[in-house]
Amino acid sequence: MAAKPVDPWNTCLNTTLEEEDKEVFAIVENEKLRQWSGLELIASENFTSQAVIEANGTPLTNKYSEGLPGARYYGGNEFIDELENLCRKRALAAFGLNPEQWGVNVQPYSGSTANFAALTALIQPQDRLMGLDLPSGGHLTHGYQTNKKKISSSSIYFQSMPYQVDPATGYIDYKRLEENAALYRPKLLICGASAYPREWDYATMRRIADQHGAYLMCDMAHISGLIAGKEAISPFDFCDVVTTTTHKTLRGPRAGLIFFRRDKGDDLENRVNQAVFPSCQGGPHNNTIAAIAVALKQAASPEFQQYAKQVRANASKLADALVGYGYKLASGGTENHLILWDLKPQKLTGSKVERICDMVHITINKNSIAGDKSAVTPGGVRLGTNALTSRSMKEDDMVKVAEFLHRTVQIATKVQEQAGSKLMKDFVAHCDGNEEIAQLKKEVVEFARSYPMPGFDATKIKSTVTI
Ligand code: DSN
């Protein structure tokens, strides 16, 4: 039978993005140029692979599949079931888990929804939880609240008491955590962080949780790639539930996973699955699940172990080089992919150094250092080597990156002096026309562009801007 003609009002359904929407196309191309031309040091970002990007952009986005494989609320899910089962199998394999002991839900849209679903599964509204305080490097979703306000839904719907790092050492104060837990008697202890450069003492966390019959959950989002790559201690030997994002060191698409013990005897499997859907989410994003599956296949490979090893080696070298310039790092260094750089001895805020870095195409983020009073103008910045390692950088390159960073601090110091005030608006005004900034930007861009670009062909970028 001859193909039927396309209705005129449907011709837009088979045009390329470039043909169909020049504005969005240009934004995408300009962002590609920015990614290729800069030094990406945000510890929670990475450059995912071309295969992951392809899977993420497939017609799997068209399908509704509420429910689980074999038990859906919609028809037509035979291939989606196959995909979700494959993704679940790969998730367990990537972390060396026995399917009789562990199961996984691959539907969470992100790390924050994964965490809220995990809390929903594990404890009742207004039950008590303890997570690492945000100013100590913890995540919002681990119960964050201030003196004035309950910020995260994890503190709005649950009672929260944080534990902290010892500001003198930068290490988690487990002794104080144990003492406070004895008074607070939490139902849930959460380990895992967004800005903690040291290994976790999971055995101690487990012991404290057991003293109170509490669940132990790990949010391994930042270090999941290092765990899969056998470069960090596995939390699975100690925890009841483990959550993660899939786009940080794991280098997949933006999404979340929840692992749960199947052999604990209190039905965590059903509780977690029901918490994800129908309690917290609707239909899974199947294109994303396809992309997660691809990333997990890659994460289980010997090459990924080499990548994870290099991420740590690069972080360690970058930390050493910064210390070599006389800078202070929280806890004195790093054992994972990230560095917390304390800029208070330089009398600079993280915001100002972040600002200069942005201007020279080094992408970092300002971050609280334990003891800081304000999260808006924190005293430090956070650096991570996961993305630069995906661009094939090694230890020698970290020496150069440290030199670039040192120059940003020197520039920030001079600009602050010239501004004659500590106000950000005066600082920004005095950056205009600064020749050192222009020179450093030129060098950074040239350096960055000399490294391979994962995920897309940088020679084919059709940007409408110049960098
Ligand atoms: N916002 C992420 C980070 O930067 O660590 C965590 O979700």
Side-chain angles (χ1 to χ4, degrees):
M1 214 192 304
K4 303 280 191 291
V6 176
D7 287 328
W9 54 86
N10 277 338
T11 53
C12 67
L13 298 182
N14 286 87
T15 45
T16 64
L17 176 62
E18 186 175 10
E19 290 160 346
E20 186 58 28
D21 190 334
K22 300 233 172 322
E23 283 169 287
V24 169
F25 180 78
I27 291 169
V28 173
E29 293 300 298
N30 293 343
E31 172 61 13
K32 280 156 81 175
L33 183 72
R34 189 197 68 79
Q35 291 186 11
W36 175 53
S37 307
L39 292 177
E40 179 53 72
L41 281 158
I42 291 184
S44 48
E45 294 186 11
N46 211 330
F47 297 115
T48 197
S49 64
Q50 185 179 336
V52 165
I53 292 172
E54 263 181 47
N56 214 15
T58 56
L60 297 179
T61 194
N62 296 337
K63 192 70 198 92
Y64 249 119
S65 56
E66 284 173 359
L68 287 168
R72 305 285 190 184
Y73 287 83
Y74 295 80
N77 273 305
E78 59 271 35
F79 299 116
I80 299 299
D81 280 4
E82 192 181 336
L83 172 71
E84 192 165 332
N85 281 330
L86 178 66
C87 189
R88 296 198 291 194
K89 194 169 126 208
R90 287 184 179 174
L92 298 182
F95 294 97
L97 302 176
N98 175 349
E100 303 211 329
Q101 286 180 320
W102 285 91
V104 60
N105 187 300
V106 299
Q107 297 186 4
Y109 303 142
S110 74
S112 49
T113 51
N115 282 348
F116 196 73
L119 301 190
T120 303
L122 290 171
I123 54 178
Q124 295 299 308
Q126 300 308 328
D127 273 354
R128 297 171 184 174
L129 63 84
M130 294 181 81
L132 183 62
D133 208 7
L134 185 121
S136 280
H139 192 250
L140 278 166
T141 57
H142 301 176
Y144 186 55
Q145 59 190 19
T146 64
N147 290 345
K148 295 197 184 122
K149 202 171 170 199
K150 290 176 179 287
I151 307 283
S152 163
S153 56
S154 56
S155 67
I156 296 171
Y157 298 112
F158 304 97
Q159 299 289 331
S160 161
M161 178 180 189
Y163 58 92
Q164 296 176 321
V165 298
D166 176 346
T169 64
Y171 282 76
I172 288 168
D173 188 342
Y174 291 101
K175 187 166 171 287
R176 195 158 160 234
L177 161 60
E178 184 165 6
E179 286 163 4
N180 285 344
L183 297 172
Y184 194 60
R185 293 192 292 271
K187 287 269 172 58
L188 173 66
L189 261 185
I190 305 175
C191 39
S194 277
Y196 185 60
R198 295 293 171 180
E199 256 300 359
W200 284 81
D201 184 350
Y202 297 111
T204 292
M205 299 283 295
R206 178 77 261 175
R207 188 173 53 74
I208 298 171
D210 286 344
Q211 286 167 2
H212 307 289
Y215 285 115
L216 181 62
M217 165 178 148
C218 175
D219 174 352
M220 62 170 183
H222 263 267
I223 54 172
S224 56
L226 301 182
I227 294 164
K230 302 190 171 51
E231 285 292 321
I233 298 171
S234 172
F236 291 95
D237 297 333
F238 304 92
C239 295
D240 305 302
V241 163
V242 177
T243 62
T244 185
T245 51
T246 49
H247 49 270
K248 298 186 174 87
T249 49
L250 198 56
R251 210 165 59 180
R254 308 191 75 79
L257 303 172
I258 307 176
F259 296 85
F260 45 82
R261 281 206 87 100
R262 302 183 76 192
D263 59 354
K264 200 171 159 84
D266 46 5
D267 206 17
L268 286 182
E269 175 157 17
N270 280 324
R271 285 161 62 186
V272 167
N273 284 336
Q274 293 218 359
V276 174
F277 172 83
S279 299
C280 295
Q281 292 193 173
H285 296 175
N286 295 304
N287 52 317
T288 310
I289 291 175
I292 298 171
V294 175
L296 290 168
K297 178 173 186 247
Q298 294 176 336
S301 68
E303 291 79 8
F304 195 85
Q305 285 189 23
Q306 289 175 297
Y307 163 72
K309 198 174 170 59
Q310 191 64 52
V311 168
R312 278 187 72 205
N314 283 351
S316 175
K317 188 72 188 184
L318 183 57
D320 287 349
L322 290 172
V323 169
Y325 281 111
Y327 292 117
K328 183 179 173 195
L329 307 182
S331 84
T334 180
E335 287 162 340
N336 54 30
H337 64 302
L338 73 80
I339 293 162
L340 252 188
W341 184 4
D342 188 348
L343 290 155
K344 290 193 292 290
Q346 280 65 47
K347 300 195 172 20
L348 287 169
T349 59
S351 332
K352 286 179 181 158
V353 172
E354 183 193 275
R355 186 74 182 211
I356 300 289
C357 281
D358 250 349
M359 296 175 86
V360 301
H361 285 279
I362 298 174
T363 318
I364 61 169
N365 67 280
K366 56 179 176 283
N367 214 99
S368 304
I369 306 287
D372 281 1
K373 297 284 171 283
S374 159
V376 184
T377 52
V381 295
R382 186 184 64 164
L383 312 171
T385 53
N386 13 322
L388 292 188
T389 309
S390 294
R391 293 197 67 179
S392 299
M393 292 194 192
K394 307 273 179 338
E395 286 94 324
D396 286 352
D397 305 310
M398 295 303 114
V399 174
K400 186 71 188 164
V401 171
E403 183 213 307
F404 286 143
L405 288 166
H406 174 53
R407 284 166 65 187
T408 66
V409 171
Q410 289 179 312
I411 293 170
T413 304
K414 275 195 219 164
V415 171
Q416 185 164 269
E417 275 167 20
Q418 286 157 6
S421 113
K422 291 265 165 102
L423 294 178
M424 191 65 174
K425 72 174 173 45
D426 297 331
F427 182 85
V428 172
H430 280 79
C431 290
D432 278 351
N434 184 308
E435 281 174 17
E436 279 184 279
I437 294 177
Q439 176 60 30
L440 183 53
K441 174 186 160 185
K442 191 165 157 286
E443 290 177 44
V444 167
V445 170
E446 194 178 301
F447 179 78
R449 286 183 181 168
S450 69
Y451 289 85
M453 187 64 221
F456 57 86
D457 184 347
T459 65
K460 295 197 174 134
I461 298 173
K462 295 182 183 174
S463 54
T464 56
V465 294
T466 49
I467 281 179

Short mmCIF file of all heavy atoms in Angstrom, two decimals, residues 211-250:
data_model
loop_
_atom_site.label_atom_id
_atom_site.label_comp_id
_atom_site.label_asym_id
_atom_site.label_seq_id
_atom_site.Cartn_x
_atom_site.Cartn_y
_atom_site.Cartn_z
N GLN A 211 21.63 1.13 67.39
CA GLN A 211 21.35 1.46 68.80
C GLN A 211 19.91 1.93 69.00
O GLN A 211 19.38 1.90 70.10
CB GLN A 211 22.32 2.55 69.28
CG GLN A 211 23.74 2.05 69.51
CD GLN A 211 24.74 3.20 69.68
OE1 GLN A 211 24.38 4.37 69.65
NE2 GLN A 211 26.00 2.84 69.83
N HIS A 212 19.31 2.45 67.89
CA HIS A 212 17.97 3.03 68.01
C HIS A 212 16.95 2.32 67.12
O HIS A 212 15.86 2.85 66.91
CB HIS A 212 18.04 4.53 67.68
CG HIS A 212 19.08 5.21 68.50
ND1 HIS A 212 18.93 5.43 69.85
CD2 HIS A 212 20.34 5.60 68.18
CE1 HIS A 212 20.04 5.97 70.33
NE2 HIS A 212 20.91 6.09 69.34
N GLY A 213 17.33 1.18 66.58
CA GLY A 213 16.43 0.47 65.67
C GLY A 213 16.10 1.32 64.45
O GLY A 213 15.01 1.21 63.88
N ALA A 214 17.04 2.19 64.06
CA ALA A 214 16.78 3.10 62.94
C ALA A 214 17.25 2.48 61.62
O ALA A 214 18.14 1.63 61.61
CB ALA A 214 17.51 4.42 63.17
N TYR A 215 16.63 2.94 60.55
CA TYR A 215 17.15 2.57 59.23
C TYR A 215 18.39 3.40 58.93
O TYR A 215 18.53 4.54 59.39
CB TYR A 215 16.11 2.87 58.14
CG TYR A 215 14.97 1.88 58.12
CD1 TYR A 215 13.66 2.30 58.42
CD2 TYR A 215 15.19 0.55 57.79
CE1 TYR A 215 12.61 1.40 58.40
CE2 TYR A 215 14.13 -0.36 57.77
CZ TYR A 215 12.86 0.07 58.07
OH TYR A 215 11.82 -0.82 58.05
N LEU A 216 19.27 2.81 58.11
CA LEU A 216 20.44 3.55 57.62
C LEU A 216 20.32 3.66 56.11
O LEU A 216 20.22 2.66 55.40
CB LEU A 216 21.75 2.84 58.00
CG LEU A 216 23.02 3.55 57.54
CD1 LEU A 216 23.15 4.94 58.18
CD2 LEU A 216 24.27 2.72 57.88
N MET A 217 20.29 4.91 55.65
CA MET A 217 20.19 5.17 54.22
C MET A 217 21.44 5.92 53.78
O MET A 217 21.93 6.78 54.50
CB MET A 217 18.94 6.03 53.97
CG MET A 217 18.87 6.69 52.61
SD MET A 217 17.30 7.62 52.50
CE MET A 217 17.83 8.97 51.43
N CYS A 218 21.94 5.57 52.62
CA CYS A 218 23.05 6.35 52.06
C CYS A 218 22.60 7.01 50.77
O CYS A 218 22.03 6.35 49.90
CB CYS A 218 24.25 5.43 51.76
SG CYS A 218 25.59 6.32 50.95
N ASP A 219 22.84 8.31 50.66
CA ASP A 219 22.67 9.01 49.38
C ASP A 219 24.08 9.11 48.80
O ASP A 219 24.86 9.98 49.17
CB ASP A 219 22.06 10.39 49.64
CG ASP A 219 21.98 11.22 48.38
OD1 ASP A 219 22.53 10.81 47.34
OD2 ASP A 219 21.38 12.32 48.44
N MET A 220 24.38 8.18 47.89
CA MET A 220 25.75 8.11 47.36
C MET A 220 25.91 8.92 46.06
O MET A 220 26.83 8.69 45.29
CB MET A 220 26.15 6.65 47.10
CG MET A 220 25.29 5.94 46.06
SD MET A 220 25.99 4.32 45.60
CE MET A 220 24.83 3.81 44.33
N ALA A 221 24.99 9.89 45.84
CA ALA A 221 24.94 10.59 44.54
C ALA A 221 26.31 11.05 44.06
O ALA A 221 26.68 10.81 42.91
CB ALA A 221 23.98 11.77 44.63
N HIS A 222 27.05 11.72 44.95
CA HIS A 222 28.32 12.29 44.47
C HIS A 222 29.34 11.22 44.13
O HIS A 222 30.11 11.38 43.19
CB HIS A 222 28.88 13.26 45.52
CG HIS A 222 28.53 14.67 45.18
ND1 HIS A 222 29.35 15.48 44.46
CD2 HIS A 222 27.41 15.37 45.43
CE1 HIS A 222 28.76 16.65 44.28
NE2 HIS A 222 27.58 16.61 44.87
N ILE A 223 29.34 10.14 44.90
CA ILE A 223 30.44 9.18 44.75
C ILE A 223 30.03 7.88 44.08
O ILE A 223 30.82 6.93 44.05
CB ILE A 223 31.10 8.90 46.12
CG1 ILE A 223 30.04 8.45 47.15
CG2 ILE A 223 31.87 10.11 46.63
CD1 ILE A 223 30.65 7.96 48.46
N SER A 224 28.80 7.83 43.51
CA SER A 224 28.35 6.53 42.97
C SER A 224 29.26 6.02 41.86
O SER A 224 29.47 4.81 41.72
CB SER A 224 26.89 6.58 42.54
OG SER A 224 26.67 7.61 41.60
N GLY A 225 29.82 6.94 41.06
CA GLY A 225 30.75 6.49 40.01
C GLY A 225 32.02 5.92 40.61
O GLY A 225 32.60 4.96 40.09
N LEU A 226 32.46 6.51 41.72
CA LEU A 226 33.67 5.99 42.38
C LEU A 226 33.38 4.63 43.01
O LEU A 226 34.25 3.75 43.01
CB LEU A 226 34.16 6.97 43.46
CG LEU A 226 34.51 8.39 42.98
CD1 LEU A 226 35.02 9.23 44.14
CD2 LEU A 226 35.53 8.36 41.86
N ILE A 227 32.16 4.45 43.51
CA ILE A 227 31.80 3.15 44.11
C ILE A 227 31.72 2.09 43.00
O ILE A 227 32.28 1.00 43.13
CB ILE A 227 30.49 3.27 44.91
CG1 ILE A 227 30.71 4.19 46.13
CG2 ILE A 227 29.99 1.91 45.36
CD1 ILE A 227 29.44 4.69 46.79
N ALA A 228 31.04 2.44 41.91
CA ALA A 228 30.95 1.48 40.78
C ALA A 228 32.36 1.16 40.26
O ALA A 228 32.65 0.03 39.87
CB ALA A 228 30.09 2.06 39.66
N GLY A 229 33.22 2.16 40.26
CA GLY A 229 34.59 1.98 39.76
C GLY A 229 35.55 1.42 40.81
O GLY A 229 36.75 1.40 40.61
N LYS A 230 34.99 1.02 41.95
CA LYS A 230 35.77 0.41 43.06
C LYS A 230 36.85 1.36 43.59
O LYS A 230 37.93 0.94 43.99
CB LYS A 230 36.38 -0.93 42.62
CG LYS A 230 35.34 -1.94 42.16
CD LYS A 230 35.92 -3.31 41.96
CE LYS A 230 34.87 -4.37 41.72
NZ LYS A 230 33.88 -4.10 40.68
N GLU A 231 36.54 2.64 43.60
CA GLU A 231 37.47 3.64 44.12
C GLU A 231 36.93 4.29 45.39
O GLU A 231 37.46 5.32 45.83
CB GLU A 231 37.75 4.71 43.06
CG GLU A 231 38.67 4.23 41.96
CD GLU A 231 40.11 3.97 42.45
OE1 GLU A 231 40.62 4.75 43.27
OE2 GLU A 231 40.70 2.97 42.01
N ALA A 232 35.84 3.77 45.92
CA ALA A 232 35.32 4.26 47.20
C ALA A 232 34.67 3.06 47.91
O ALA A 232 34.22 2.11 47.25
CB ALA A 232 34.29 5.37 46.97
N ILE A 233 34.61 3.15 49.24
CA ILE A 233 34.01 2.05 50.01
C ILE A 233 32.53 1.92 49.63
O ILE A 233 31.83 2.93 49.47
CB ILE A 233 34.13 2.33 51.53
CG1 ILE A 233 35.60 2.40 51.94
CG2 ILE A 233 33.40 1.27 52.34
CD1 ILE A 233 35.81 2.88 53.36
N SER A 234 32.06 0.69 49.48
CA SER A 234 30.66 0.48 49.09
C SER A 234 29.76 0.60 50.32
O SER A 234 29.95 -0.09 51.32
CB SER A 234 30.50 -0.91 48.48
OG SER A 234 29.12 -1.15 48.29
N PRO A 235 28.71 1.45 50.22
CA PRO A 235 27.77 1.57 51.35
C PRO A 235 26.82 0.39 51.44
O PRO A 235 26.12 0.21 52.43
CB PRO A 235 27.00 2.85 51.03
CG PRO A 235 27.06 2.98 49.54
CD PRO A 235 28.35 2.35 49.10
N PHE A 236 26.78 -0.43 50.37
CA PHE A 236 25.79 -1.51 50.32
C PHE A 236 26.01 -2.56 51.41
O PHE A 236 25.09 -3.27 51.78
CB PHE A 236 25.80 -2.17 48.94
CG PHE A 236 25.25 -1.26 47.86
CD1 PHE A 236 26.10 -0.48 47.09
CD2 PHE A 236 23.89 -1.15 47.64
CE1 PHE A 236 25.61 0.36 46.11
CE2 PHE A 236 23.38 -0.31 46.67
CZ PHE A 236 24.25 0.46 45.90
N ASP A 237 27.24 -2.65 51.90
CA ASP A 237 27.51 -3.64 52.95
C ASP A 237 26.90 -3.23 54.29
O ASP A 237 26.85 -4.03 55.22
CB ASP A 237 29.02 -3.82 53.13
CG ASP A 237 29.67 -4.37 51.87
OD1 ASP A 237 28.96 -5.07 51.11
OD2 ASP A 237 30.86 -4.08 51.61
N PHE A 238 26.44 -1.99 54.40
CA PHE A 238 26.02 -1.47 55.71
C PHE A 238 24.58 -0.92 55.72
O PHE A 238 23.98 -0.82 56.78
CB PHE A 238 26.95 -0.33 56.14
CG PHE A 238 28.40 -0.74 56.18
CD1 PHE A 238 29.22 -0.56 55.08
CD2 PHE A 238 28.92 -1.36 57.31
CE1 PHE A 238 30.55 -0.97 55.10
CE2 PHE A 238 30.25 -1.75 57.34
CZ PHE A 238 31.06 -1.56 56.23
N CYS A 239 24.07 -0.53 54.55
CA CYS A 239 22.83 0.27 54.53
C CYS A 239 21.60 -0.56 54.19
O CYS A 239 21.70 -1.64 53.60
CB CYS A 239 22.96 1.41 53.53
SG CYS A 239 24.23 2.58 54.04
N ASP A 240 20.44 0.00 54.51
CA ASP A 240 19.16 -0.64 54.16
C ASP A 240 18.67 -0.14 52.82
O ASP A 240 18.05 -0.89 52.05
CB ASP A 240 18.11 -0.30 55.23
CG ASP A 240 18.59 -0.68 56.62
OD1 ASP A 240 18.91 -1.87 56.82
OD2 ASP A 240 18.70 0.22 57.49
N VAL A 241 18.90 1.14 52.58
CA VAL A 241 18.48 1.78 51.33
C VAL A 241 19.62 2.67 50.85
O VAL A 241 20.29 3.30 51.67
CB VAL A 241 17.18 2.61 51.55
CG1 VAL A 241 16.93 3.59 50.43
CG2 VAL A 241 15.98 1.67 51.70
N VAL A 242 19.85 2.66 49.54
CA VAL A 242 20.90 3.52 48.96
C VAL A 242 20.28 4.26 47.78
O VAL A 242 19.68 3.64 46.90
CB VAL A 242 22.11 2.67 48.48
CG1 VAL A 242 23.15 3.57 47.81
CG2 VAL A 242 22.74 1.91 49.64
N THR A 243 20.40 5.59 47.79
CA THR A 243 19.89 6.37 46.66
C THR A 243 21.07 6.99 45.91
O THR A 243 22.16 7.14 46.46
CB THR A 243 18.97 7.52 47.14
OG1 THR A 243 19.73 8.42 47.95
CG2 THR A 243 17.78 7.01 47.91
N THR A 244 20.81 7.35 44.67
CA THR A 244 21.84 8.07 43.92
C THR A 244 21.22 8.86 42.78
O THR A 244 20.13 8.50 42.29
CB THR A 244 22.91 7.11 43.35
OG1 THR A 244 23.95 7.89 42.73
CG2 THR A 244 22.35 6.16 42.30
N THR A 245 21.90 9.91 42.37
CA THR A 245 21.63 10.47 41.05
C THR A 245 22.46 9.66 40.07
O THR A 245 23.33 8.87 40.47
CB THR A 245 22.05 11.95 40.96
OG1 THR A 245 23.40 12.05 41.42
CG2 THR A 245 21.16 12.85 41.77
N THR A 246 22.22 9.89 38.79
CA THR A 246 22.94 9.08 37.80
C THR A 246 23.87 9.94 36.93
O THR A 246 24.48 9.41 36.00
CB THR A 246 21.93 8.34 36.91
OG1 THR A 246 20.95 9.25 36.44
CG2 THR A 246 21.24 7.23 37.69
N HIS A 247 23.96 11.24 37.24
CA HIS A 247 24.67 12.13 36.31
C HIS A 247 25.94 12.75 36.88
O HIS A 247 26.54 13.61 36.26
CB HIS A 247 23.73 13.26 35.87
CG HIS A 247 23.02 13.92 37.01
ND1 HIS A 247 21.79 13.47 37.48
CD2 HIS A 247 23.35 14.96 37.79
CE1 HIS A 247 21.40 14.23 38.48
NE2 HIS A 247 22.34 15.14 38.70
N LYS A 248 26.33 12.36 38.08
CA LYS A 248 27.54 12.99 38.65
C LYS A 248 28.73 12.11 38.26
O LYS A 248 29.02 11.99 37.07
CB LYS A 248 27.36 13.17 40.15
CG LYS A 248 26.17 14.11 40.49
CD LYS A 248 26.08 14.41 41.95
CE LYS A 248 25.01 15.45 42.25
NZ LYS A 248 23.67 14.88 42.46
N THR A 249 29.43 11.55 39.25
CA THR A 249 30.57 10.69 38.87
C THR A 249 30.12 9.47 38.07
O THR A 249 30.92 8.88 37.33
CB THR A 249 31.35 10.22 40.12
OG1 THR A 249 30.42 9.71 41.08
CG2 THR A 249 32.15 11.36 40.73
N LEU A 250 28.83 9.10 38.16
CA LEU A 250 28.34 7.92 37.41
C LEU A 250 28.23 8.21 35.91
O LEU A 250 28.15 7.29 35.10
CB LEU A 250 27.00 7.47 38.00
CG LEU A 250 26.51 6.07 37.68
CD1 LEU A 250 27.52 5.00 38.08
CD2 LEU A 250 25.17 5.78 38.36
#
